Amino acid sequence: MGKFFDNSKKLFENALQYVTVSEDAVKTLEHPKQIIQVSIPLRKLNGDLEIFTGYRVHHNDLLGPTKGGIRFLSTVDLDEVKSLAFLMTFKCAVVGIPFGGAKGGVVVNPKKLKRHEIEHLSRGYIRGIYDFIGPDVDIPAPDVYTNEMIMGWMADEYNKISRKLTPAVITGKPVSLGGSLGRDDATARGAYYVLRSLVKKKKLDPKKLTVAIQGYGNAGYHLAKLLHDDGYKIVGLSDSKGAIFTKKGNLDPDSVMRRKREAGKLEAVYCKGTVCDIIKHDRITNEQLLESDVDILVPAALENQITKKNAAKIKAKIILEVANGPTSHDADAILAKNKQIVIPDILANAGGVTVSYFEWLQNRSGDYWSLGAVHEKLEKIMLDAYGAVTKVQEELKIDMRTAAYVVSVRRLVSAINAKGTAEYFKT
Ligand code: GLU
């Protein structure tokens, strides 16, 4: 317990030498504001009663109501939810959206539940945390193993309890229930905009770049598609069971996804019409995928994948952190020493929460935007944030993660100081 949170804190503390920040501000930022733990009773379809544990953590609401996803995962614990809430605070600050950080999680393996049971669990979680969320308080969204349908059930449960339609309480809803166009691929698209800028700046040719993506969930799949459409060579893809790898770089994201949906597993196939043919490939482990000989590595699954143990074996020149917290503090130092570029999670995957912000705005105003407008606004926010981060990076000659923390800490500190500092009250 405590490892992930300590690690996240270290990444932030690393930036403190580059910002003028009072001890008060550090103390404020290192402590989650509120934590709730709930027990969710679920009557299973076989008649058994099972009690699931759920958490919601508000890390900090200095810049606005707290915001962050909910994951359904058997390994969830309080340390993880606290850490992810902590990351959300800095993520929202780095892209400059008016939210603080939060996160939620339920300790459950959703693959072991029937669809009805998942619906009841989702609704039960909302009944448990009802008083802890709200459009001006804390706004949940999807995360690992939760999706738009689950968000729709959750928003519906909230509305039933409050006897009011409050779509802005949850984002990532189906479009037909008040969701935003473009929320589905927003995390991937945000990462794609940042990567595209970096590739351009380094004068690299996408068609000559190989990419391996760990995790084929919402973010991993959409990113594979965007990169594939731009001519990048997708050489490796993985899910929780293992990876497929082909040196040729001819993995077709849509064929692989179609097959995964039909067969329930990742296979290197190329489909034309209704016929899917296997293409030549190797089956490797997730660990091997991370260490594979590629130009761009995209961890898009869970935290703590690149650690002290394997960091020196990572060959990719660019690491695009689409997952939250995939790289440990010790590993970061090794990657920096080897001059590998890490596009940090709090910047790389901020597209998801940015379009969640758009959804919240649209729900509150009743004015719904076109897909083109969403893309345009997302691109601007991502590129402004990337510009702010690279400016600090170049000025201070530091790595991109530290620079991203500097940008976000500056924004947070000015809000903390606006309420009065120790010096102010002592004079
Ligand atoms: N779960 C996503 C994240 O980690 C999205 C959060 C949101 O949209 O509020 O950034």
Side-chain angles (χ1 to χ4, degrees):
M1 264 297 266
K3 268 181 83 181
F4 186 18
F5 191 64
D6 289 344
N7 182 69
S8 309
K9 272 201 310 196
K10 277 189 197 142
L11 298 173
F12 150 73
E13 283 162 1
N14 206 21
L16 296 179
Q17 53 189 308
Y18 304 103
V19 240
T20 321
V21 37
S22 64
E23 236 175 84
D24 294 12
V26 177
K27 277 187 218 158
T28 310
L29 290 171
E30 287 194 338
H31 291 87
K33 185 174 178 240
Q34 299 183 88
I35 296 175
I36 187 171
Q37 177 179 335
V38 294
S39 297
I40 314 160
L42 176 72
R43 179 69 62 192
K44 306 268 289 284
L45 293 178
N46 66 5
D48 289 346
L49 181 76
E50 206 175 316
I51 310 279
F52 292 89
T53 302
Y55 302 100
R56 184 84 188 159
V57 175
H58 298 172
H59 177 256
N60 187 292
D61 62 359
L62 267 165
L63 299 179
T66 57
K67 184 88 194 79
I70 298 163
R71 54 176 60 181
F72 282 0
L73 200 66
S74 54
T75 50
V76 160
D77 62 23
L78 185 55
D79 173 57
E80 175 173 310
V81 184
K82 257 169 68 181
S83 314
L84 294 164
F86 177 89
L87 292 175
M88 285 307 301
T89 295
F90 297 95
K91 188 188 300 188
C92 294
V94 86
V95 284
I97 58 175
F99 286 138
K103 203 80 177 193
V106 178
V107 190
V108 58
N109 178 355
K111 290 175 191 160
K112 291 205 172 136
L113 295 184
K114 300 265 185 275
R115 289 176 173 171
H116 287 81
E117 294 168 338
I118 293 184
E119 179 181 354
H120 288 306
L121 183 70
S122 306
R123 291 181 183 276
Y125 177 68
I126 292 301
R127 287 194 295 277
I129 65 162
Y130 178 81
D131 299 306
F132 211 61
I133 59 172
D136 297 307
V137 182
D138 174 31
I139 305 119
D143 197 75
V144 176
Y145 293 127
T146 52
N147 56 26
E148 59 169 44
M149 187 175 250
I150 293 177
M151 296 306 115
W153 291 329
M154 288 184 170
D156 185 55
E157 192 63 26
Y158 186 88
N159 292 338
K160 278 189 175 149
I161 300 171
S162 63
R163 289 184 170 271
K164 268 196 284 240
L165 283 176
T166 315
V169 66
I170 282 171
T171 60
K173 302 178 294 295
V175 172
S176 54
L177 297 176
S180 175
L181 292 173
R183 178 63 185 84
D184 50 355
D185 75 353
T187 306
R189 187 170 287 276
Y192 163 75
Y193 289 144
V194 173
L195 179 71
R196 199 179 59 182
S197 272
L198 182 111
V199 163
K200 208 164 153 200
K201 198 164 149 206
K202 300 264 168 219
K203 298 196 171 58
L204 300 169
D205 177 5
K207 294 186 180 60
K208 293 197 183 122
L209 296 173
T210 53
V211 185
I213 302 180
Q214 185 203 27
Y216 214 49
N218 176 55
Y221 160 65
H222 281 113
L223 186 66
K225 227 171 111 65
L226 287 163
L227 295 179
H228 179 260
D229 289 350
D230 257 11
Y232 290 80
K233 290 185 180 157
I234 312 295
V235 292
L237 294 171
S238 80
D239 67 6
S240 58
K241 293 180 211 106
I244 49 178
F245 192 88
T246 151
K247 264 211 172 98
K248 258 187 146 180
N250 56 347
L251 291 174
D252 172 48
D254 271 331
S255 300
V256 174
M257 183 44 101
R258 200 176 115 185
R259 189 84 185 129
K260 185 171 159 68
R261 281 196 185 122
E262 282 163 13
K265 57 181 177 205
L266 212 59
E267 279 182 336
V269 293
Y270 183 74
C271 307
K272 231 179 170 180
T274 52
V275 187
C276 294
D277 288 322
I278 299 275
I279 59 169
K280 202 170 158 270
H281 70 285
D282 297 321
R283 279 215 68 93
I284 57 173
T285 63
N286 262 294
E287 291 73 33
Q288 287 169 321
L289 184 84
L290 294 174
E291 296 167 16
S292 59
D293 194 3
V294 293
D295 299 309
I296 301 167
L297 175 67
V298 185
L302 293 172
E303 58 267 14
N304 213 25
Q305 299 300 302
I306 305 177
T307 63
K308 193 163 73 189
K309 275 197 199 138
N310 62 356
K313 296 186 207 148
I314 306 284
K315 298 182 191 69
K317 292 180 253 338
I318 299 172
I319 296 144
L320 179 64
E321 292 187 337
V322 168
N324 288 309
T327 309
S328 76
H329 172 66
D330 317 328
D332 235 11
I334 300 172
L335 298 172
K337 209 178 111 222
N338 292 339
K339 304 228 164 0
Q340 284 153 296
I341 300 172
V342 179
I343 307 180
D345 51 2
I346 57 169
L347 172 66
N349 72 29
V353 73
T354 300
V355 178
S356 275
Y357 166 52
F358 298 164
E359 182 171 333
W360 180 80
L361 284 175
Q362 292 170 76
N363 290 154
R364 298 182 73 128
S365 67
D367 173 23
Y368 285 81
W369 310 348
S370 68
L371 184 61
V374 169
H375 288 171
E376 203 179 298
K377 287 174 205 273
L378 173 63
E379 183 169 6
K380 177 162 185 344
I381 289 187
M382 293 308 298
L383 295 186
D384 284 354
Y386 176 62
V389 170
T390 41
K391 189 161 171 263
V392 167
Q393 202 191 348
E394 281 154 20
E395 270 167 25
L396 300 174
K397 308 219 170 349
I398 51 179
D399 61 276
M400 210 185 292
R401 187 188 317 278
T402 312
Y405 275 97
V406 169
V407 170
S408 53
V409 170
R410 279 183 186 159
R411 288 180 177 152
L412 287 155
V413 165
S414 60
I416 295 171
N417 291 351
K419 293 181 181 170
T421 58
E423 291 96 73
Y424 173 78
F425 286 108
K426 277 179 196 160
T427 48

